[in-house]
Each structure stands twice: as C-alpha cells, then as structure tokens.
Amino acid sequence: MEDRPGKLVVISGPSGVGKTTLLRRLLADLPTLMPSVSATTRPPRAGECDGIDYHFIPLDEFERRRAVGEFLECCQVYGRQHWYGTLVAEVAPRLAAGKWVVLEIDVEGTLSILARYPQAITIFVEPAHPDQLLERLKARGTESPDAMARRLEVARRELHEAHRYKHRVVNENVELALAEIERVLAAEGFHHTAVSHAPSPTR
Ligand code: 5GP
C-alpha cells in the first residue's frame, strides 16, 4: 500500500531527439513508474502495438471520446494532421493510488496539463546539436520527406518552448541522459522500489 501521493511526470522534446528510447529505458529501470498510453488517430508504424505504444483509434471515435470528456488534454500535432490525447483513465486512477505516472506528450499538451496539475514534473529533452534531429529522423526512415519537414518545423518551434519546463536534459548520449532523468526524479522524491532479478528459491 502506497503511503506517498502520486506525481505526474511529463517528458517532451522534438521529434527525433530520442524520447521513445529514453522512456523505454526509464520504464525498464524504474518498474514502479507507470506509463500513460496516449490515444492517437495516426496509423501505427511497423512494429507498434495497439494498447502498448498508443491506443490507435479512428477519428470519429476520438471525437466522440473527446466530446464526453475522456481526455485530460488532446491536440492536433504536425500541421493538424493527427490527433493525440492523454486519457483521464490512464492517469487519474493511478495518481489516486499513489503511483507516479509518466506522459510523453508535446509542448501544447504539457501546457494544458500544467493548467490542471501545476505541480507536474516537466522534463524537456533537447538534442546536443540541431542536426541530430534530422539525422535521427532519416535513420528511423518512418516518415515521408513532407512529414519529416513538418516534424522539423514543429521541432524548431518546440525548442523555443524548452524554457517552460522545470528540467532540461540534453540527449547526447542515452546513458547520461537516462542517469540525469533518474537523478531529477530522485530529487523530486521518487522512491524506486528495487525489483529483484534473482531467481526465486524453489522448494
Ligand atoms: P509520434 O507520432 O512520433 O509517436 O508522436 C508525435 C508527437 O506527439 C510527439 O511529440 C509526442 O510527444 C506527441 N504526443 C504523443 N502522445 C500525445 C498525447 O497524448 N498528447 C499530446 N499533446 N501529444 C502527444
């Protein structure tokens, strides 16, 4: 039974900065940190799983759920092409149960979250060099040249919003960036319950 209140952690950063890898590693390192799975109208990329990477839903369903207040925040990202949103059901029950919940959302979504949860711990992941974003997006190879240009344009705008975040972490190297995020969480009061990887004794 948790005796400490839960907290909301918001991680943002421009497309191509390596947030997804960092978040995956963070969740593996800190298994008591709960991810919030966002809903989106964007189609899944190869290898993405419904309910794990996102709840992939059609636009009419997104609009219906938005109208009945199922989203804590939602917005259209990348030239109003696709909707993305944080579901109340992914966050509120876990916070109420004393869990720490991590959201990986864009800057606009973060501002909406801060309006409702001013005490949210906000972390902005920045590239070490601006060229890093284009290189990563090219290497990922999941976007058309048009989509890549849109992402870079949004990235440029997002980098100007970094000052709105309480913490800023440069991702030049995954290990160092990960250690820095874990240090931030510890300083904010996150208590990591160690999970034993030792085999359980057999009787
Ligand atoms: P991607 O299409 O690369 O998975 O994500 C595109 C962008 O949408 C990223 O910047 C990501 O942070 C943002 N995003 C993902 N889920 C949400 C969400 O629930 N709300 C908001 N506002 N942005 C989101």
Side-chain angles (χ1 to χ4, degrees), residues 9-15 17-24 27 34-38 42 45 53-54 73 78 84-86 101-107 110 123 125 158:
V9 179
V10 181
I11 299 187
S12 302
S15 195
V17 79
K19 280 169 300 179
T20 308
T21 305
L22 274 175
L23 191 60
R24 202 174 293 140
L27 293 169
M34 300 277 116
S36 160
V37 179
S38 292
R42 144 166 109 55
R45 294 186 186 122
D53 298 289
Y54 282 103
E73 62 74 35
Y78 304 129
Y84 292 80
T86 306
V101 182
V102 61
L103 312 181
E104 194 251 276
I105 62 176
D106 77 340
V107 173
T110 304
I123 303 173
V125 182
E158 290 203 325

PDB file of all heavy atoms in Angstrom, residues 9-15 17-24 27 34-38 42 45 53-54 73 78 84-86 101-107 110 123 125 158:
ATOM      1  N   VAL A   9       4.680  13.009 -14.229  1.00  0.00           N
ATOM      2  CA  VAL A   9       5.942  13.388 -14.857  1.00  0.00           C
ATOM      3  C   VAL A   9       5.658  13.578 -16.340  1.00  0.00           C
ATOM      4  O   VAL A   9       5.061  12.693 -16.970  1.00  0.00           O
ATOM      5  CB  VAL A   9       7.006  12.269 -14.679  1.00  0.00           C
ATOM      6  CG1 VAL A   9       8.318  12.660 -15.348  1.00  0.00           C
ATOM      7  CG2 VAL A   9       7.219  11.943 -13.199  1.00  0.00           C
ATOM      8  N   VAL A  10       6.031  14.704 -16.891  1.00  0.00           N
ATOM      9  CA  VAL A  10       5.765  14.974 -18.306  1.00  0.00           C
ATOM     10  C   VAL A  10       7.095  15.109 -19.035  1.00  0.00           C
ATOM     11  O   VAL A  10       7.932  15.940 -18.659  1.00  0.00           O
ATOM     12  CB  VAL A  10       4.953  16.276 -18.473  1.00  0.00           C
ATOM     13  CG1 VAL A  10       4.668  16.523 -19.952  1.00  0.00           C
ATOM     14  CG2 VAL A  10       3.658  16.219 -17.681  1.00  0.00           C
ATOM     15  N   ILE A  11       7.277  14.272 -20.045  1.00  0.00           N
ATOM     16  CA  ILE A  11       8.516  14.345 -20.834  1.00  0.00           C
ATOM     17  C   ILE A  11       8.162  14.804 -22.251  1.00  0.00           C
ATOM     18  O   ILE A  11       7.261  14.243 -22.886  1.00  0.00           O
ATOM     19  CB  ILE A  11       9.232  12.971 -20.864  1.00  0.00           C
ATOM     20  CG1 ILE A  11       9.608  12.568 -19.435  1.00  0.00           C
ATOM     21  CG2 ILE A  11      10.460  13.026 -21.766  1.00  0.00           C
ATOM     22  CD1 ILE A  11      10.458  11.322 -19.318  1.00  0.00           C
ATOM     23  N   SER A  12       8.848  15.832 -22.715  1.00  0.00           N
ATOM     24  CA  SER A  12       8.648  16.323 -24.085  1.00  0.00           C
ATOM     25  C   SER A  12      10.005  16.517 -24.732  1.00  0.00           C
ATOM     26  O   SER A  12      11.046  16.505 -24.064  1.00  0.00           O
ATOM     27  CB  SER A  12       7.955  17.685 -24.099  1.00  0.00           C
ATOM     28  OG  SER A  12       6.726  17.644 -23.457  1.00  0.00           O
ATOM     29  N   GLY A  13       9.939  16.766 -26.012  1.00  0.00           N
ATOM     30  CA  GLY A  13      11.167  17.038 -26.755  1.00  0.00           C
ATOM     31  C   GLY A  13      10.848  16.908 -28.219  1.00  0.00           C
ATOM     32  O   GLY A  13       9.859  16.257 -28.574  1.00  0.00           O
ATOM     33  N   PRO A  14      11.636  17.507 -29.076  1.00  0.00           N
ATOM     34  CA  PRO A  14      11.327  17.464 -30.506  1.00  0.00           C
ATOM     35  C   PRO A  14      11.433  16.054 -31.084  1.00  0.00           C
ATOM     36  O   PRO A  14      12.150  15.209 -30.544  1.00  0.00           O
ATOM     37  CB  PRO A  14      12.380  18.392 -31.115  1.00  0.00           C
ATOM     38  CG  PRO A  14      13.464  18.467 -30.101  1.00  0.00           C
ATOM     39  CD  PRO A  14      12.834  18.283 -28.766  1.00  0.00           C
ATOM     40  N   SER A  15      10.702  15.850 -32.161  1.00  0.00           N
ATOM     41  CA  SER A  15      10.738  14.566 -32.866  1.00  0.00           C
ATOM     42  C   SER A  15      12.174  14.275 -33.289  1.00  0.00           C
ATOM     43  O   SER A  15      12.867  15.157 -33.805  1.00  0.00           O
ATOM     44  CB  SER A  15       9.845  14.697 -34.107  1.00  0.00           C
ATOM     45  OG  SER A  15       9.568  13.445 -34.634  1.00  0.00           O
ATOM     46  N   VAL A  17      14.561  13.352 -31.133  1.00  0.00           N
ATOM     47  CA  VAL A  17      15.538  13.601 -30.061  1.00  0.00           C
ATOM     48  C   VAL A  17      15.850  12.328 -29.267  1.00  0.00           C
ATOM     49  O   VAL A  17      16.788  12.289 -28.489  1.00  0.00           O
ATOM     50  CB  VAL A  17      15.055  14.745 -29.126  1.00  0.00           C
ATOM     51  CG1 VAL A  17      14.029  14.270 -28.129  1.00  0.00           C
ATOM     52  CG2 VAL A  17      16.230  15.398 -28.415  1.00  0.00           C
ATOM     53  N   GLY A  18      15.036  11.276 -29.489  1.00  0.00           N
ATOM     54  CA  GLY A  18      15.303  10.007 -28.812  1.00  0.00           C
ATOM     55  C   GLY A  18      14.476   9.785 -27.558  1.00  0.00           C
ATOM     56  O   GLY A  18      14.820   8.972 -26.700  1.00  0.00           O
ATOM     57  N   LYS A  19      13.313  10.483 -27.467  1.00  0.00           N
ATOM     58  CA  LYS A  19      12.456  10.352 -26.275  1.00  0.00           C
ATOM     59  C   LYS A  19      11.947   8.934 -26.071  1.00  0.00           C
ATOM     60  O   LYS A  19      11.876   8.443 -24.952  1.00  0.00           O
ATOM     61  CB  LYS A  19      11.194  11.218 -26.439  1.00  0.00           C
ATOM     62  CG  LYS A  19      11.335  12.653 -26.154  1.00  0.00           C
ATOM     63  CD  LYS A  19      10.083  13.367 -26.636  1.00  0.00           C
ATOM     64  CE  LYS A  19       9.929  13.149 -28.132  1.00  0.00           C
ATOM     65  NZ  LYS A  19       8.774  13.748 -28.757  1.00  0.00           N
ATOM     66  N   THR A  20      11.548   8.296 -27.167  1.00  0.00           N
ATOM     67  CA  THR A  20      10.925   6.972 -27.035  1.00  0.00           C
ATOM     68  C   THR A  20      11.916   5.969 -26.456  1.00  0.00           C
ATOM     69  O   THR A  20      11.580   5.200 -25.552  1.00  0.00           O
ATOM     70  CB  THR A  20      10.370   6.513 -28.403  1.00  0.00           C
ATOM     71  OG1 THR A  20       9.552   7.571 -28.895  1.00  0.00           O
ATOM     72  CG2 THR A  20       9.542   5.260 -28.284  1.00  0.00           C
ATOM     73  N   THR A  21      13.152   6.016 -26.940  1.00  0.00           N
ATOM     74  CA  THR A  21      14.185   5.109 -26.415  1.00  0.00           C
ATOM     75  C   THR A  21      14.442   5.416 -24.942  1.00  0.00           C
ATOM     76  O   THR A  21      14.505   4.510 -24.099  1.00  0.00           O
ATOM     77  CB  THR A  21      15.512   5.282 -27.202  1.00  0.00           C
ATOM     78  OG1 THR A  21      15.217   5.089 -28.567  1.00  0.00           O
ATOM     79  CG2 THR A  21      16.580   4.328 -26.740  1.00  0.00           C
ATOM     80  N   LEU A  22      14.551   6.702 -24.629  1.00  0.00           N
ATOM     81  CA  LEU A  22      14.815   7.086 -23.232  1.00  0.00           C
ATOM     82  C   LEU A  22      13.691   6.611 -22.321  1.00  0.00           C
ATOM     83  O   LEU A  22      13.934   6.073 -21.241  1.00  0.00           O
ATOM     84  CB  LEU A  22      14.917   8.610 -23.125  1.00  0.00           C
ATOM     85  CG  LEU A  22      16.281   9.216 -23.405  1.00  0.00           C
ATOM     86  CD1 LEU A  22      16.177  10.739 -23.387  1.00  0.00           C
ATOM     87  CD2 LEU A  22      17.305   8.752 -22.376  1.00  0.00           C
ATOM     88  N   LEU A  23      12.463   6.790 -22.798  1.00  0.00           N
ATOM     89  CA  LEU A  23      11.310   6.420 -21.975  1.00  0.00           C
ATOM     90  C   LEU A  23      11.263   4.899 -21.774  1.00  0.00           C
ATOM     91  O   LEU A  23      11.012   4.418 -20.669  1.00  0.00           O
ATOM     92  CB  LEU A  23      10.025   6.912 -22.649  1.00  0.00           C
ATOM     93  CG  LEU A  23       8.787   6.834 -21.784  1.00  0.00           C
ATOM     94  CD1 LEU A  23       8.946   7.664 -20.524  1.00  0.00           C
ATOM     95  CD2 LEU A  23       7.573   7.337 -22.555  1.00  0.00           C
ATOM     96  N   ARG A  24      11.546   4.167 -22.831  1.00  0.00           N
ATOM     97  CA  ARG A  24      11.548   2.701 -22.721  1.00  0.00           C
ATOM     98  C   ARG A  24      12.580   2.256 -21.687  1.00  0.00           C
ATOM     99  O   ARG A  24      12.313   1.418 -20.827  1.00  0.00           O
ATOM    100  CB  ARG A  24      11.858   2.098 -24.101  1.00  0.00           C
ATOM    101  CG  ARG A  24      11.396   0.670 -24.250  1.00  0.00           C
ATOM    102  CD  ARG A  24      11.585   0.163 -25.662  1.00  0.00           C
ATOM    103  NE  ARG A  24      10.738   0.819 -26.634  1.00  0.00           N
ATOM    104  CZ  ARG A  24      11.112   1.182 -27.859  1.00  0.00           C
ATOM    105  NH1 ARG A  24      12.344   0.968 -28.270  1.00  0.00           N
ATOM    106  NH2 ARG A  24      10.268   1.765 -28.687  1.00  0.00           N
ATOM    107  N   LEU A  27      11.462   3.224 -18.079  1.00  0.00           N
ATOM    108  CA  LEU A  27      10.416   2.345 -17.534  1.00  0.00           C
ATOM    109  C   LEU A  27      10.986   0.974 -17.162  1.00  0.00           C
ATOM    110  O   LEU A  27      10.524   0.342 -16.215  1.00  0.00           O
ATOM    111  CB  LEU A  27       9.268   2.192 -18.544  1.00  0.00           C
ATOM    112  CG  LEU A  27       8.470   3.477 -18.796  1.00  0.00           C
ATOM    113  CD1 LEU A  27       7.534   3.311 -19.990  1.00  0.00           C
ATOM    114  CD2 LEU A  27       7.675   3.895 -17.559  1.00  0.00           C
ATOM    115  N   MET A  34       4.695   4.394 -13.879  1.00  0.00           N
ATOM    116  CA  MET A  34       3.634   3.911 -14.771  1.00  0.00           C
ATOM    117  C   MET A  34       3.566   4.740 -16.052  1.00  0.00           C
ATOM    118  O   MET A  34       3.459   5.966 -15.972  1.00  0.00           O
ATOM    119  CB  MET A  34       2.256   4.051 -14.098  1.00  0.00           C
ATOM    120  CG  MET A  34       2.097   3.297 -12.812  1.00  0.00           C
ATOM    121  SD  MET A  34       1.688   1.599 -13.198  1.00  0.00           S
ATOM    122  CE  MET A  34       3.101   0.769 -12.561  1.00  0.00           C
ATOM    123  N   PRO A  35       3.612   4.093 -17.223  1.00  0.00           N
ATOM    124  CA  PRO A  35       3.434   4.870 -18.452  1.00  0.00           C
ATOM    125  C   PRO A  35       1.953   5.159 -18.688  1.00  0.00           C
ATOM    126  O   PRO A  35       1.096   4.375 -18.282  1.00  0.00           O
ATOM    127  CB  PRO A  35       3.940   3.913 -19.535  1.00  0.00           C
ATOM    128  CG  PRO A  35       3.695   2.550 -18.976  1.00  0.00           C
ATOM    129  CD  PRO A  35       3.799   2.665 -17.478  1.00  0.00           C
ATOM    130  N   SER A  36       1.671   6.291 -19.307  1.00  0.00           N
ATOM    131  CA  SER A  36       0.296   6.556 -19.737  1.00  0.00           C
ATOM    132  C   SER A  36       0.285   6.328 -21.237  1.00  0.00           C
ATOM    133  O   SER A  36       1.078   6.913 -21.973  1.00  0.00           O
ATOM    134  CB  SER A  36      -0.060   8.007 -19.427  1.00  0.00           C
ATOM    135  OG  SER A  36      -1.150   8.421 -20.211  1.00  0.00           O
ATOM    136  N   VAL A  37      -0.580   5.438 -21.704  1.00  0.00           N
ATOM    137  CA  VAL A  37      -0.656   5.153 -23.144  1.00  0.00           C
ATOM    138  C   VAL A  37      -1.639   6.142 -23.766  1.00  0.00           C
ATOM    139  O   VAL A  37      -2.814   6.164 -23.410  1.00  0.00           O
ATOM    140  CB  VAL A  37      -1.086   3.686 -23.398  1.00  0.00           C
ATOM    141  CG1 VAL A  37      -1.189   3.411 -24.895  1.00  0.00           C
ATOM    142  CG2 VAL A  37      -0.117   2.717 -22.727  1.00  0.00           C
ATOM    143  N   SER A  38      -1.132   6.984 -24.669  1.00  0.00           N
ATOM    144  CA  SER A  38      -1.968   8.006 -25.308  1.00  0.00           C
ATOM    145  C   SER A  38      -2.857   7.385 -26.378  1.00  0.00           C
ATOM    146  O   SER A  38      -2.559   6.305 -26.889  1.00  0.00           O
ATOM    147  CB  SER A  38      -1.080   9.046 -25.992  1.00  0.00           C
ATOM    148  OG  SER A  38      -0.376   9.787 -25.040  1.00  0.00           O
ATOM    149  N   ARG A  42      -3.280   8.723 -35.546  1.00  0.00           N
ATOM    150  CA  ARG A  42      -2.220   8.384 -36.516  1.00  0.00           C
ATOM    151  C   ARG A  42      -2.180   6.864 -36.708  1.00  0.00           C
ATOM    152  O   ARG A  42      -2.371   6.119 -35.750  1.00  0.00           O
ATOM    153  CB  ARG A  42      -0.889   8.943 -35.983  1.00  0.00           C
ATOM    154  CG  ARG A  42       0.292   8.087 -36.258  1.00  0.00           C
ATOM    155  CD  ARG A  42       1.614   8.742 -36.054  1.00  0.00           C
ATOM    156  NE  ARG A  42       2.417   8.320 -34.912  1.00  0.00           N
ATOM    157  CZ  ARG A  42       2.798   7.087 -34.639  1.00  0.00           C
ATOM    158  NH1 ARG A  42       2.382   6.067 -35.371  1.00  0.00           N
ATOM    159  NH2 ARG A  42       3.564   6.843 -33.607  1.00  0.00           N
ATOM    160  N   ARG A  45       2.931   2.630 -36.813  1.00  0.00           N
ATOM    161  CA  ARG A  45       4.130   2.353 -37.625  1.00  0.00           C
ATOM    162  C   ARG A  45       4.431   0.869 -37.505  1.00  0.00           C
ATOM    163  O   ARG A  45       3.973   0.219 -36.572  1.00  0.00           O
ATOM    164  CB  ARG A  45       5.341   3.117 -37.060  1.00  0.00           C
ATOM    165  CG  ARG A  45       5.221   4.599 -37.165  1.00  0.00           C
ATOM    166  CD  ARG A  45       6.538   5.258 -36.723  1.00  0.00           C
ATOM    167  NE  ARG A  45       6.374   6.690 -36.680  1.00  0.00           N
ATOM    168  CZ  ARG A  45       6.565   7.453 -35.594  1.00  0.00           C
ATOM    169  NH1 ARG A  45       6.958   6.907 -34.463  1.00  0.00           N
ATOM    170  NH2 ARG A  45       6.382   8.738 -35.645  1.00  0.00           N
ATOM    171  N   ASP A  53       1.989   0.958 -27.501  1.00  0.00           N
ATOM    172  CA  ASP A  53       2.614   2.205 -27.958  1.00  0.00           C
ATOM    173  C   ASP A  53       1.592   3.340 -27.915  1.00  0.00           C
ATOM    174  O   ASP A  53       1.909   4.447 -27.504  1.00  0.00           O
ATOM    175  CB  ASP A  53       3.161   2.018 -29.367  1.00  0.00           C
ATOM    176  CG  ASP A  53       4.236   0.953 -29.384  1.00  0.00           C
ATOM    177  OD1 ASP A  53       5.315   1.234 -28.846  1.00  0.00           O
ATOM    178  OD2 ASP A  53       3.989  -0.163 -29.877  1.00  0.00           O
ATOM    179  N   TYR A  54       0.413   3.057 -28.379  1.00  0.00           N
ATOM    180  CA  TYR A  54      -0.708   4.005 -28.367  1.00  0.00           C
ATOM    181  C   TYR A  54      -1.986   3.179 -28.369  1.00  0.00           C
ATOM    182  O   TYR A  54      -1.965   1.994 -28.709  1.00  0.00           O
ATOM    183  CB  TYR A  54      -0.732   4.839 -29.668  1.00  0.00           C
ATOM    184  CG  TYR A  54       0.254   5.974 -29.741  1.00  0.00           C
ATOM    185  CD1 TYR A  54       1.424   5.856 -30.504  1.00  0.00           C
ATOM    186  CD2 TYR A  54       0.015   7.184 -29.094  1.00  0.00           C
ATOM    187  CE1 TYR A  54       2.330   6.907 -30.597  1.00  0.00           C
ATOM    188  CE2 TYR A  54       0.915   8.243 -29.188  1.00  0.00           C
ATOM    189  CZ  TYR A  54       2.067   8.099 -29.942  1.00  0.00           C
ATOM    190  OH  TYR A  54       2.956   9.144 -30.027  1.00  0.00           O
ATOM    191  N   GLU A  73      -6.098  16.001 -21.809  1.00  0.00           N
ATOM    192  CA  GLU A  73      -5.669  17.006 -22.790  1.00  0.00           C
ATOM    193  C   GLU A  73      -5.615  16.299 -24.119  1.00  0.00           C
ATOM    194  O   GLU A  73      -5.413  15.095 -24.174  1.00  0.00           O
ATOM    195  CB  GLU A  73      -4.298  17.613 -22.433  1.00  0.00           C
ATOM    196  CG  GLU A  73      -3.109  16.657 -22.402  1.00  0.00           C
ATOM    197  CD  GLU A  73      -2.610  16.205 -23.760  1.00  0.00           C
ATOM    198  OE1 GLU A  73      -2.649  17.001 -24.702  1.00  0.00           O
ATOM    199  OE2 GLU A  73      -2.193  15.038 -23.891  1.00  0.00           O
ATOM    200  N   TYR A  78       1.590  18.201 -35.661  1.00  0.00           N
ATOM    201  CA  TYR A  78       2.106  18.152 -37.037  1.00  0.00           C
ATOM    202  C   TYR A  78       1.119  18.631 -38.084  1.00  0.00           C
ATOM    203  O   TYR A  78       0.485  17.823 -38.786  1.00  0.00           O
ATOM    204  CB  TYR A  78       2.616  16.750 -37.407  1.00  0.00           C
ATOM    205  CG  TYR A  78       3.644  16.304 -36.439  1.00  0.00           C
ATOM    206  CD1 TYR A  78       3.569  15.080 -35.825  1.00  0.00           C
ATOM    207  CD2 TYR A  78       4.666  17.173 -36.079  1.00  0.00           C
ATOM    208  CE1 TYR A  78       4.506  14.711 -34.892  1.00  0.00           C
ATOM    209  CE2 TYR A  78       5.588  16.820 -35.147  1.00  0.00           C
ATOM    210  CZ  TYR A  78       5.508  15.591 -34.559  1.00  0.00           C
ATOM    211  OH  TYR A  78       6.417  15.244 -33.631  1.00  0.00           O
ATOM    212  N   TYR A  84      -3.753  13.576 -30.980  1.00  0.00           N
ATOM    213  CA  TYR A  84      -3.113  12.797 -29.924  1.00  0.00           C
ATOM    214  C   TYR A  84      -3.749  13.249 -28.612  1.00  0.00           C
ATOM    215  O   TYR A  84      -4.018  14.438 -28.442  1.00  0.00           O
ATOM    216  CB  TYR A  84      -1.617  13.112 -29.822  1.00  0.00           C
ATOM    217  CG  TYR A  84      -0.770  12.665 -30.994  1.00  0.00           C
ATOM    218  CD1 TYR A  84      -0.727  13.423 -32.162  1.00  0.00           C
ATOM    219  CD2 TYR A  84      -0.006  11.515 -30.924  1.00  0.00           C
ATOM    220  CE1 TYR A  84       0.065  13.024 -33.232  1.00  0.00           C
ATOM    221  CE2 TYR A  84       0.802  11.116 -31.994  1.00  0.00           C
ATOM    222  CZ  TYR A  84       0.822  11.879 -33.145  1.00  0.00           C
ATOM    223  OH  TYR A  84       1.605  11.495 -34.203  1.00  0.00           O
ATOM    224  N   GLY A  85      -3.958  12.345 -27.671  1.00  0.00           N
ATOM    225  CA  GLY A  85      -4.540  12.782 -26.410  1.00  0.00           C
ATOM    226  C   GLY A  85      -4.235  11.850 -25.248  1.00  0.00           C
ATOM    227  O   GLY A  85      -4.035  10.644 -25.414  1.00  0.00           O
ATOM    228  N   THR A  86      -4.195  12.463 -24.061  1.00  0.00           N
ATOM    229  CA  THR A  86      -3.976  11.712 -22.817  1.00  0.00           C
ATOM    230  C   THR A  86      -5.331  11.378 -22.216  1.00  0.00           C
ATOM    231  O   THR A  86      -6.141  12.276 -21.973  1.00  0.00           O
ATOM    232  CB  THR A  86      -3.193  12.574 -21.804  1.00  0.00           C
ATOM    233  OG1 THR A  86      -1.995  13.039 -22.426  1.00  0.00           O
ATOM    234  CG2 THR A  86      -2.863  11.789 -20.547  1.00  0.00           C
ATOM    235  N   VAL A 101       3.087   8.691 -12.605  1.00  0.00           N
ATOM    236  CA  VAL A 101       2.669   8.400 -13.985  1.00  0.00           C
ATOM    237  C   VAL A 101       3.470   9.291 -14.932  1.00  0.00           C
ATOM    238  O   VAL A 101       3.597  10.494 -14.692  1.00  0.00           O
ATOM    239  CB  VAL A 101       1.158   8.679 -14.164  1.00  0.00           C
ATOM    240  CG1 VAL A 101       0.710   8.328 -15.579  1.00  0.00           C
ATOM    241  CG2 VAL A 101       0.334   7.915 -13.139  1.00  0.00           C
ATOM    242  N   VAL A 102       3.998   8.677 -15.992  1.00  0.00           N
ATOM    243  CA  VAL A 102       4.802   9.457 -16.929  1.00  0.00           C
ATOM    244  C   VAL A 102       4.086   9.606 -18.266  1.00  0.00           C
ATOM    245  O   VAL A 102       3.583   8.637 -18.824  1.00  0.00           O
ATOM    246  CB  VAL A 102       6.237   8.880 -17.059  1.00  0.00           C
ATOM    247  CG1 VAL A 102       6.252   7.467 -17.572  1.00  0.00           C
ATOM    248  CG2 VAL A 102       7.119   9.749 -17.930  1.00  0.00           C
ATOM    249  N   LEU A 103       4.014  10.854 -18.735  1.00  0.00           N
ATOM    250  CA  LEU A 103       3.402  11.158 -20.023  1.00  0.00           C
ATOM    251  C   LEU A 103       4.501  11.594 -20.983  1.00  0.00           C
ATOM    252  O   LEU A 103       5.380  12.357 -20.588  1.00  0.00           O
ATOM    253  CB  LEU A 103       2.438  12.350 -19.914  1.00  0.00           C
ATOM    254  CG  LEU A 103       1.417  12.401 -18.810  1.00  0.00           C
ATOM    255  CD1 LEU A 103       0.576  13.662 -18.950  1.00  0.00           C
ATOM    256  CD2 LEU A 103       0.533  11.175 -18.880  1.00  0.00           C
ATOM    257  N   GLU A 104       4.416  11.124 -22.225  1.00  0.00           N
ATOM    258  CA  GLU A 104       5.345  11.614 -23.247  1.00  0.00           C
ATOM    259  C   GLU A 104       4.475  12.355 -24.253  1.00  0.00           C
ATOM    260  O   GLU A 104       3.816  11.735 -25.084  1.00  0.00           O
ATOM    261  CB  GLU A 104       6.063  10.417 -23.870  1.00  0.00           C
ATOM    262  CG  GLU A 104       7.268  10.786 -24.683  1.00  0.00           C
ATOM    263  CD  GLU A 104       7.058  10.607 -26.158  1.00  0.00           C
ATOM    264  OE1 GLU A 104       7.224   9.481 -26.649  1.00  0.00           O
ATOM    265  OE2 GLU A 104       6.725  11.597 -26.823  1.00  0.00           O
ATOM    266  N   ILE A 105       4.398  13.670 -24.105  1.00  0.00           N
ATOM    267  CA  ILE A 105       3.463  14.466 -24.910  1.00  0.00           C
ATOM    268  C   ILE A 105       4.150  15.721 -25.444  1.00  0.00           C
ATOM    269  O   ILE A 105       5.272  16.017 -25.049  1.00  0.00           O
ATOM    270  CB  ILE A 105       2.204  14.853 -24.090  1.00  0.00           C
ATOM    271  CG1 ILE A 105       2.564  15.723 -22.898  1.00  0.00           C
ATOM    272  CG2 ILE A 105       1.453  13.603 -23.651  1.00  0.00           C
ATOM    273  CD1 ILE A 105       1.361  16.215 -22.112  1.00  0.00           C
ATOM    274  N   ASP A 106       3.452  16.439 -26.317  1.00  0.00           N
ATOM    275  CA  ASP A 106       4.092  17.613 -26.910  1.00  0.00           C
ATOM    276  C   ASP A 106       3.953  18.846 -26.004  1.00  0.00           C
ATOM    277  O   ASP A 106       3.351  18.769 -24.928  1.00  0.00           O
ATOM    278  CB  ASP A 106       3.541  17.865 -28.319  1.00  0.00           C
ATOM    279  CG  ASP A 106       2.169  18.495 -28.296  1.00  0.00           C
ATOM    280  OD1 ASP A 106       1.474  18.412 -27.265  1.00  0.00           O
ATOM    281  OD2 ASP A 106       1.784  19.090 -29.318  1.00  0.00           O
ATOM    282  N   VAL A 107       4.501  19.964 -26.473  1.00  0.00           N
ATOM    283  CA  VAL A 107       4.543  21.172 -25.642  1.00  0.00           C
ATOM    284  C   VAL A 107       3.139  21.707 -25.365  1.00  0.00           C
ATOM    285  O   VAL A 107       2.819  22.070 -24.224  1.00  0.00           O
ATOM    286  CB  VAL A 107       5.412  22.252 -26.338  1.00  0.00           C
ATOM    287  CG1 VAL A 107       5.324  23.565 -25.575  1.00  0.00           C
ATOM    288  CG2 VAL A 107       6.854  21.792 -26.432  1.00  0.00           C
ATOM    289  N   THR A 110       1.563  19.718 -22.778  1.00  0.00           N
ATOM    290  CA  THR A 110       2.180  19.969 -21.470  1.00  0.00           C
ATOM    291  C   THR A 110       1.571  21.209 -20.813  1.00  0.00           C
ATOM    292  O   THR A 110       1.304  21.223 -19.610  1.00  0.00           O
ATOM    293  CB  THR A 110       3.703  20.168 -21.624  1.00  0.00           C
ATOM    294  OG1 THR A 110       4.237  19.027 -22.279  1.00  0.00           O
ATOM    295  CG2 THR A 110       4.389  20.352 -20.290  1.00  0.00           C
ATOM    296  N   ILE A 123       9.915  17.710 -17.896  1.00  0.00           N
ATOM    297  CA  ILE A 123      11.294  17.479 -18.351  1.00  0.00           C
ATOM    298  C   ILE A 123      11.332  17.659 -19.868  1.00  0.00           C
ATOM    299  O   ILE A 123      10.549  17.007 -20.578  1.00  0.00           O
ATOM    300  CB  ILE A 123      11.766  16.046 -17.989  1.00  0.00           C
ATOM    301  CG1 ILE A 123      11.656  15.807 -16.472  1.00  0.00           C
ATOM    302  CG2 ILE A 123      13.190  15.795 -18.489  1.00  0.00           C
ATOM    303  CD1 ILE A 123      11.948  14.363 -16.044  1.00  0.00           C
ATOM    304  N   VAL A 125      13.567  17.166 -23.215  1.00  0.00           N
ATOM    305  CA  VAL A 125      14.775  16.508 -23.730  1.00  0.00           C
ATOM    306  C   VAL A 125      15.224  17.266 -24.981  1.00  0.00           C
ATOM    307  O   VAL A 125      14.444  17.451 -25.922  1.00  0.00           O
ATOM    308  CB  VAL A 125      14.509  15.021 -24.068  1.00  0.00           C
ATOM    309  CG1 VAL A 125      15.787  14.351 -24.557  1.00  0.00           C
ATOM    310  CG2 VAL A 125      13.947  14.287 -22.846  1.00  0.00           C
ATOM    311  N   GLU A 158       9.291  23.965 -31.016  1.00  0.00           N
ATOM    312  CA  GLU A 158       9.294  23.380 -29.663  1.00  0.00           C
ATOM    313  C   GLU A 158      10.560  23.744 -28.894  1.00  0.00           C
ATOM    314  O   GLU A 158      10.518  23.940 -27.682  1.00  0.00           O
ATOM    315  CB  GLU A 158       9.113  21.863 -29.739  1.00  0.00           C
ATOM    316  CG  GLU A 158       7.712  21.494 -30.169  1.00  0.00           C
ATOM    317  CD  GLU A 158       7.307  20.090 -29.741  1.00  0.00           C
ATOM    318  OE1 GLU A 158       8.175  19.195 -29.730  1.00  0.00           O
ATOM    319  OE2 GLU A 158       6.134  19.889 -29.439  1.00  0.00           O
TER     320      GLU A 158
END
